Amino acid sequence: MHVFITGGTGTIGSAVVTELLGNGHTVLALARSDASAHTLEGVGAKVLRGELTDLDVLRSGAAQCDGVISLAFGRDYGSPDALAQAIAEESAALTALGEELVGSHRPIVTVSGTPWIPGRTSTEADPLPTDGPVGDRGRSVNALLDLASRGVRGTAVRMPRTVHNQGQGGFAGLLTDQARRTGVAGYPGDGTQRWPAVHALDAAVLFRLALESAPAGTAWHAVADEGDTVRDIATVIGRRLGLPVEAVPQENFGPFGPIFAMDQPASSTHTRDALGWRPTHPGLLEDLGNIQP
């Protein structure tokens, strides 16, 4: 399959490109810069130059390929306004890609987050939230899945709060960055809230499986660890950086503060049973041992 991918140099995207190329697929990847183009070409992908906001370029990429994986997201989401703009850009891109595929029955796989359900572990059957700071993202993903009725094999791989590789990435990576800036390995709330996690290399396998065989209109959970407590995550970070571990106000984490404070475990039982996905790489707490002081 010849696959058009956006976001192909990110933590998830770079792993997905390698996974696709290693399993007989070819890749056309959107590249926003010379550096990105060089990286992508270096691993064997072909490059289409453009930004996520270049909707005609996105349509061209989708038209040339047998399937699409949409992973690109704005690089600036440190404020509520920046996060809202990044979500709006992603939504417009998904709309353009989906419309290009209408009637073709070709696959498009997009990324979203695992939902949080008060009092229990979320599953693939739970709907995405459509309110709160990332509610618009849920609506745009739902709109893509609804294109099943118009001949698009759209699916969503829901990612946990931390997608990690060599101790970096995701919410845990943001905690690490904050710890380096402030001198404290801080966590919001009482630290007992749980975050799901997955290694980027395991997530990449699921994107490939969804592209190859997942039915239209379905959602899947790329969850290896159902829920590590935030205090345990911060404890490993503090130990690796030689910093004290303390509870801090959730406001210290900007627009992500309310999300950081939520207990949000997630299951991938259905995904494993239906698609045969089996995570094999280190879990989050083990992988955080790669953080360099």
Side-chain angles (χ1 to χ4, degrees):
M1 192 182 295
H2 190 42
V3 185
F4 178 51
I5 184 170
T6 71
T9 57
T11 299
I12 304 170
S14 58
V16 171
V17 169
T18 300
E19 175 70 18
L20 292 172
L21 293 172
N23 284 272
H25 300 290
T26 56
V27 173
L28 175 67
L30 185 73
R32 295 185 281 200
S33 67
D34 290 342
S36 293
H38 180 73
T39 297
L40 291 161
E41 289 171 342
V43 298
K46 294 184 177 180
V47 166
L48 181 66
R49 292 299 299 266
E51 298 275 345
L52 186 63
T53 53
D54 296 333
L55 301 185
D56 286 342
V57 172
L58 298 185
R59 295 185 188 99
S60 171
Q64 297 177 49
C65 293
D66 305 308
V68 176
I69 297 180
S70 174
L71 297 172
F73 194 71
R75 289 162 285 185
D76 178 11
Y77 40 83
S79 70
D81 287 346
L83 178 61
Q85 180 176 345
I87 291 172
E89 290 175 355
E90 180 191 47
S91 177
L94 279 181
T95 298
L97 291 167
E99 288 292 335
E100 182 63 35
L101 298 178
V102 164
S104 70
H105 299 283
R106 283 177 284 165
I108 176 170
V109 185
T110 191
V111 62
S112 64
T114 52
W116 53 92
I117 307 298
R120 67 169 174 84
T121 299
S122 71
T123 72
E124 295 88 342
D126 290 312
L128 286 175
T130 54
D131 54 8
V134 294
D136 285 344
R137 196 176 198 194
R139 282 189 283 273
S140 66
V141 170
N142 289 340
L144 181 72
L145 299 184
D146 287 344
L147 290 178
S149 64
R150 300 177 62 196
V152 178
R153 185 161 66 83
T155 60
V157 174
R158 297 174 175 179
M159 306 304 295
R161 300 301 171 261
T162 293
V163 182
H164 56 93
N165 193 353
Q166 293 298 306
Q168 302 179 26
F171 277 14
L174 294 178
L175 288 186
T176 303
D177 293 343
Q178 183 89 336
R180 293 186 191 278
R181 287 194 300 269
T182 64
V184 173
Y187 57 86
D190 63 8
T192 61
Q193 67 270 37
R194 295 160 293 173
W195 292 352
V198 68
H199 197 287
L201 299 180
D202 286 323
V205 175
L206 182 54
F207 275 96
R208 176 178 60 80
L209 292 173
L211 179 81
E212 291 172 346
S213 63
T218 54
W220 308 93
H221 278 193
V223 173
D225 303 352
E226 287 198 359
D228 298 307
T229 71
V230 178
R231 187 189 297 124
D232 286 346
I233 295 169
T235 296
V236 178
I237 293 169
R239 182 168 65 244
R240 294 298 301 165
L241 298 180
L243 298 174
V245 180
E246 301 174 5
V248 299
Q250 71 178 45
E251 291 76 18
N252 288 20
F253 301 99
F256 288 105
I259 303 174
F260 277 16
M262 291 178 178
D263 185 49
Q264 45 196 292
S267 166
S268 60
T269 299
H270 174 65
T271 296
R272 298 181 193 218
D273 290 345
L275 295 183
W277 179 63
R278 296 290 182 269
T280 60
H281 291 84
L284 174 60
L285 298 182
E286 179 183 349
D287 196 29
L288 289 176
N290 290 300
I291 294 174
Q292 298 300 309

